[in-house]
């Protein structure tokens, strides 16, 4: 892989262009890393705004049309919509697993198949979330099942 | 969710009703000399199948652990089958008093054996799938940071 870096005062911002014959799995991973480079999500708590690293997020959940960010320590509210978060983390380990739920797969401790085609995921903090039947194929595909 | 429960109920009902009719017909042909099945028995089986299909919904619970669902399901289904058997007088077909009691005990053990075999098969499938999925999850976590 060749890396070309062009430094010039002409550019107002950093722009990454990837030229390739086709996008394979490793390249997809690289693109996801670049997308997340320096990415942080702002979350509001007690009137203060915090900048959170995506890897600290357990999951995003919607309650009464308000989107909340759940981490190990706290719950924050974000102004971003669930579909915006889904788009932002597309191709990463943060995956939509329910109508109102986006889950960080790296924060799952273990999973259990349920009888009605859904999956129960137990997170590293012991919390249980349900992966909806509609999203199970995408989840299984992500794990390579 | 409600639609899924209703669908599961009717699916369970159709399966249990068909199986129960076939089983009753088979048992009757062995125990008695009657070549036909009384209409009253069909209604009784219909009632039992309805109760069992309702009991079956216990397995859909997400609050209960697999072992508790199995135990509650077993207790309620056994209770329903034995209870219906006693109420509808299924154990009074043919033979003397001792034969009838023996039939009651045998049917209990027979049912328990069937339940246990089915439970072991389901448990093995469930455990196998769970283990495979979790090993894939671990591999995924090892191979990926936040991306991929």
């Amino acid at each position: 892989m060749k890396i070309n870096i062009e430094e010039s005062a002409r550019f107002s911002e950093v722009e990454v262009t990837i030229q390739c014959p086709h996008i394979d799995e490793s390249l997809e991973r690289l693109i996801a890393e670049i997308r997340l480079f320096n990415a942080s999500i702002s979350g509001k708590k007690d009137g203060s705004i915090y900048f959170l690293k995506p890897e600290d997020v357990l999951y995003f959940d919607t309650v009464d049309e308000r989107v909340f960010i759940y981490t190990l320590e706290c719950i924050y509210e974000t102004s971003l919509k669930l579909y915006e978060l889904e788009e932002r983390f597309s191709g990463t380990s943060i995956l939509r697993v329910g109508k109102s739920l986006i889950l960080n797969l790296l924060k799952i401790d273990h999973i259990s198949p349920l009888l009605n085609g859904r999956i129960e995921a137990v997170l590293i903090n012991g919390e249980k979330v349900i992966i909806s039947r509609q999203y199970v194929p995408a989840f299984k595909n992500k794990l390579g099942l | 969710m409600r639609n899924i429960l209703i669908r599961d109920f009717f699916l369970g009902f159709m399966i249990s009703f068909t199986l129960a009719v076939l089983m009753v017909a088979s048992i009757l042909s062995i125990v008695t000399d009657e070549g036909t099945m009384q209409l009253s028995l069909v209604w009784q089986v219909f009632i039992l199948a309805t109760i069992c299909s309702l009991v079956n919904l216990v397995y859909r619970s997400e609050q209960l652990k697999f072992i508790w669902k199995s135990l509650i399901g077993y207790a309620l289904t056994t209770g329903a089958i034995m209870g219906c058997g006693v109420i509808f007088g299924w154990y009074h077909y043919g033979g003397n008093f001792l034969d009838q009691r023996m039939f009651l005990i045998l049917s209990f053990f027979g049912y328990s054996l069937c339940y246990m075999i089915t439970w072991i098969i389901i448990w093995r499938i469930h455990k196998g799938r769970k283990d495979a999925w979790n090993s894939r999850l671990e591999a995924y976590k090892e191979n990926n940071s936040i991306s991929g």
Side-chain angles (χ1 to χ4, degrees), chain B residues 2-148:
Chain B
R2 207 179 69 172
N3 289 344
I4 293 170
L5 279 178
I6 293 168
R7 188 204 62 190
D8 287 350
F9 168 77
F10 280 107
L11 193 68
F13 172 76
M14 282 189 285
I15 294 168
S16 52
F17 181 65
T18 311
L19 282 176
V21 167
L22 289 171
M23 275 177 68
V24 170
S26 309
I27 292 166
L28 276 179
S29 67
I30 295 165
V31 175
T32 69
D33 297 327
E34 292 172 36
T36 53
M37 192 174 157
Q38 291 170 15
L39 189 65
S40 60
L41 263 178
V42 178
W43 279 109
Q44 290 164 9
V45 166
F46 182 89
I47 292 165
L48 176 62
T50 308
I51 297 168
C52 287
S53 305
L54 285 171
V55 169
N56 204 33
L57 297 178
V58 166
Y59 299 103
R60 303 288 166 201
S61 167
E62 280 160 14
Q63 277 78 44
L64 293 169
K65 285 192 170 179
F66 185 68
I67 187 77
W68 283 111
K69 281 192 266 196
S70 306
L71 287 172
I72 293 169
Y74 169 72
L76 291 176
T77 317
T78 311
I81 292 171
M82 306 304 285
C84 281
V86 171
I87 292 165
F88 298 140
W90 293 345
Y91 304 112
H92 301 148
Y93 274 95
N96 56 30
F97 179 80
L98 207 65
D99 289 338
Q100 288 167 4
R101 289 294 163 274
M102 192 57 82
F103 183 35
L104 183 88
I105 294 162
L106 273 176
S107 67
F108 170 75
F109 283 111
Y111 167 71
S112 298
L113 185 72
C114 288
Y115 189 91
M116 204 166 76
I117 292 166
T118 314
W119 188 87
I120 290 168
I121 293 167
I122 292 171
W123 180 76
R124 284 184 68 92
I125 293 169
H126 180 84
K127 194 179 178 303
R129 193 186 296 169
K130 189 179 169 181
D131 290 348
W133 288 12
N134 279 300
S135 62
R136 283 299 311 159
L137 176 69
E138 281 311 310
Y140 176 82
K141 282 159 76 176
E142 276 171 25
N143 294 333
N144 294 273
S145 56
I146 192 72
S147 64

Side-chain angles (χ1 to χ4, degrees), chain A residues 29 32-33 36 55 91-93 104 106 108 110-113 115-116 118-119 133 142-143 145, chain B residues 1 4 7 59-60 62 126 129-130 132-134 136-138 140-141 143-148:
Chain A
R29 208 177 295 172
E33 287 278 5
L36 282 173
E55 55 263 39
T92 72
S93 65
N104 185 354
L106 302 179
I108 300 174
H110 62 272
I111 50 175
S112 266
L115 279 172
N116 40 16
R118 301 194 286 176
I119 297 172
R133 196 163 46 167
K142 196 81 178 167
L143 297 190
L145 283 162
Chain B
M1 187 65 189
I4 293 170
R7 188 204 62 190
Y59 299 103
R60 303 288 166 201
E62 280 160 14
H126 180 84
R129 193 186 296 169
K130 189 179 169 181
W133 288 12
N134 279 300
R136 283 299 311 159
L137 176 69
E138 281 311 310
Y140 176 82
K141 282 159 76 176
N143 294 333
N144 294 273
S145 56
I146 192 72
S147 64

